[in-house]
Amino acid sequence: MSESQVWDAVDAYFTEHLSPDDEVTAAALRESEAAGLPPIGVTANQGKLLQLLAQVQGARCILEIGTLGGYSTIWLARALPPEGRLISLEYSPRHAEVARRNLARAGLDGQVEVRVGPALESLPRLADENPPPFDLVFIDADKGNNPHYVEWALRLTRAGSLIVLDNVVRGGRVVDADSTAEDVRGTRAAIELIGSHPRLSGTAIQTVGGKGYDGFALARVLG
Ligand SMILES: C[S@@+](CC[C@H](N)C(=O)[O-])C[C@H]1O[C@@H](n2cnc3c(N)ncnc32)[C@H](O)[C@@H]1O
């Protein structure tokens, strides 16, 4: 077996025992694929990690940046109490339409709102509404804007909130300080912002698995 085949096999084993897809999440994946959406969402075990983090946070309000077909959204929203709310920001109207259908099938359309448009336009509008602070922010959109998304997350959260930033390793490309690639530059800027910001305490973890070699960063908002 090649290295990546081993990663796949281990992911499949963990997923089977710890985070299997049910009918709803499996249908979300199937319908997203049928609609031609790219397979760039989180894996089931990453979705379960997001859900556990939201539960540990006792999250009542969750913000997601980057919805795709709503797969991670479903994992996260299932951690909410009945009165909880999740807002997910998505650039593509087509992705948002698929996500809304998937969320309705999951029975989560009453708790989840998908807002269409560039997140950097949706975020100021959201802030103008003075929403209650978000307990968890999951950032998983265009990586070049990651530092801006971290800044917005800080404005929309409270002391103790958690910010999760996905895809921070990109096969190891994150260490290339001379990279001109937007995703690497954006991710490096976000990591360095988290490291230097007086109101953030963070770490980043490398992962291997069904989606290759990548990783995520976690940052806790301080007082
Ligand atoms: C990696 S996918 C999200 C995957 C999803 N979180 C999941 O795990 O199921 C990234 C999504 O961000 C969206 N996106 C890209 N640029 C964006 C922007 N400027 N504002 C909002 N969404 C954006 C893409 O259209 C895509 O659907």
Side-chain angles (χ1 to χ4, degrees), residues 41-108:
V42 298
T43 58
N45 47 13
Q46 291 166 342
K48 181 70 177 283
L49 172 65
L50 290 171
Q51 186 175 92
L52 290 169
L53 289 171
Q55 286 166 337
V56 168
Q57 275 297 98
R60 303 162 80 89
C61 292
I62 297 175
L63 174 65
E64 178 178 62
I65 306 176
T67 320
L68 192 65
Y71 184 73
S72 55
T73 324
I74 293 173
W75 281 102
L76 281 165
R78 283 177 163 178
L80 289 169
E83 72 283 8
R85 185 167 179 230
L86 188 155
I87 295 177
S88 190
L89 309 180
E90 172 54 50
Y91 175 80
S92 158
R94 197 166 59 85
H95 294 186
E97 188 190 317
V98 174
R100 286 184 183 128
R101 281 202 302 269
N102 286 334
L103 289 158
R105 193 183 310 102
L108 292 166

